[in-house]
Amino acid sequence: MKRLTAAALSAILLSGCGSGKPSSTDTRSALPPLPKAAELTTAQQTAETSSAESRIIYRERLYNINSYTKSDLIVQADGTVWCGFYMHNEGTIDRFNRLWTSDDEYTENYQLDDDRWLASVLTETKDDDFMLFGDYSKLGELSTEDTQRLVSLVAEADPVSACNVSVASPDEAAPAETETEYNFVDLIVNSAPYRVYAYTQSYESMVQDTAAEEAMKLVQSTDFYTQWREKCVNELIPFE
């Protein structure tokens, strides 16, 4: 296709040279050389490497029961750390990790908009991509050592690991103090979210996967994680 384009362009330039107007230079010499096959292969490999380095490998959601705003912390394979905020009334997640969409209807297997966004980003096609975060910012980059360690741990994680789940009985008395913040952690393994941890006060699940647990601890021990939680204090504004 590039050869055809160059040939067509050359023909147009040559026809212009024969219009009776003198030219001191050969217009054909102005055409850039066509890329060689090896150069195209190198460019393709560079693009694929860049794509692999920028892929998402860690996502954590912070949910506040008193706010329509949710936030996601994202870590990419190149060590880039950023966070995003979006506001949408999608129902209410209760302390048993159930999403209530009305006063008398709830579901335990639910997806929020950030789940759908993540799924669209992880697909090979961009047909289903959509913008989610109304506000997002880069927090920084992990050190080379932490980046390599996190990538290695994610590669070692096993999505079929057993999961320890602790959930209170709905018949039990409500906790004396109601917690307002719930968090959910996913690793991206084989281009799919792998739920590592979920906490909603009366519900807690944690996979029996050492690599996944260490990956979560690594991210949560960084200064970037602390910055994100501090931003959430100001951004997850209670609804009126």
Side-chain angles (χ1 to χ4, degrees):
M1 181 65 182
K2 291 186 178 181
R3 289 191 178 88
L4 290 174
T5 303
L9 182 58
S10 178
I12 294 172
L13 292 172
L14 284 173
S15 64
C17 290
S19 62
K21 297 179 180 179
S23 175
S24 60
T25 59
D26 185 350
T27 311
R28 287 172 295 177
S29 64
L31 289 173
L34 292 173
K36 298 178 182 179
E39 294 173 340
L40 291 174
T41 301
T42 300
Q44 181 181 5
Q45 291 174 340
T46 300
E48 291 173 350
T49 300
S50 176
S51 177
E53 290 177 346
S54 64
R55 74 185 190 279
I56 296 173
I57 58 175
Y58 181 99
R59 185 279 291 263
E60 181 166 348
R61 173 203 297 140
L62 187 63
Y63 176 90
N64 190 308
I65 64 174
N66 294 325
S67 177
Y68 291 142
T69 302
K70 295 96 173 173
S71 182
D72 282 28
L73 177 74
I74 302 293
V75 183
Q76 299 174 186
D78 61 359
T80 300
V81 183
W82 59 275
C83 64
F85 297 85
Y86 77 98
M87 183 173 66
H88 184 197
N89 180 9
E90 303 173 79
T92 303
I93 298 176
D94 70 6
R95 61 189 178 92
F96 301 104
N97 197 22
R98 302 175 299 189
L99 178 66
W100 290 81
T101 53
S102 69
D103 291 338
D104 53 5
E105 292 185 359
Y106 70 84
T107 178
E108 295 178 347
N109 299 313
Y110 60 85
Q111 280 194 329
L112 298 184
D113 280 351
D114 55 351
D115 295 312
R116 287 181 279 271
W117 168 82
L118 183 60
S120 74
V121 170
L122 297 176
T123 56
E124 295 294 333
T125 176
K126 293 185 178 180
D127 293 342
D128 57 354
D129 285 359
F130 65 97
M131 295 295 294
L132 174 67
F133 301 109
D135 178 25
Y136 58 91
S137 60
K138 179 179 177 180
L139 299 176
E141 296 180 358
L142 298 177
S143 67
T144 300
E145 181 180 355
D146 282 348
T147 299
Q148 293 175 345
R149 178 60 176 158
L150 181 60
V151 170
S152 177
L153 288 171
V154 172
E156 294 173 14
D158 184 3
V160 297
S161 297
C163 186
N164 285 328
V165 178
S166 173
V167 57
S169 169
D171 297 329
E172 293 181 14
E177 183 177 347
T178 301
E179 297 181 16
T180 59
E181 293 184 348
Y182 303 155
N183 65 312
F184 308 81
V185 178
D186 296 306
L187 299 184
I188 311 306
V189 180
N190 298 325
S191 299
Y194 166 33
R195 179 56 51 87
V196 172
Y197 181 75
Y199 178 79
T200 62
Q201 188 168 12
S202 294
Y203 174 98
E204 184 174 24
S205 66
M206 181 72 205
V207 295
Q208 298 178 15
D209 184 337
T210 302
E213 185 176 358
E214 290 184 7
M216 183 178 72
K217 289 180 178 179
L218 188 158
V219 172
Q220 294 182 349
S221 67
T222 65
D223 290 338
F224 303 123
Y225 187 84
T226 302
Q227 292 177 33
W228 172 57
R229 294 299 293 252
E230 290 175 349
K231 284 176 68 70
C232 288
V233 172
N234 297 320
E235 297 292 340
L236 271 59
I237 303 172
F239 47 73
E240 297 180 355

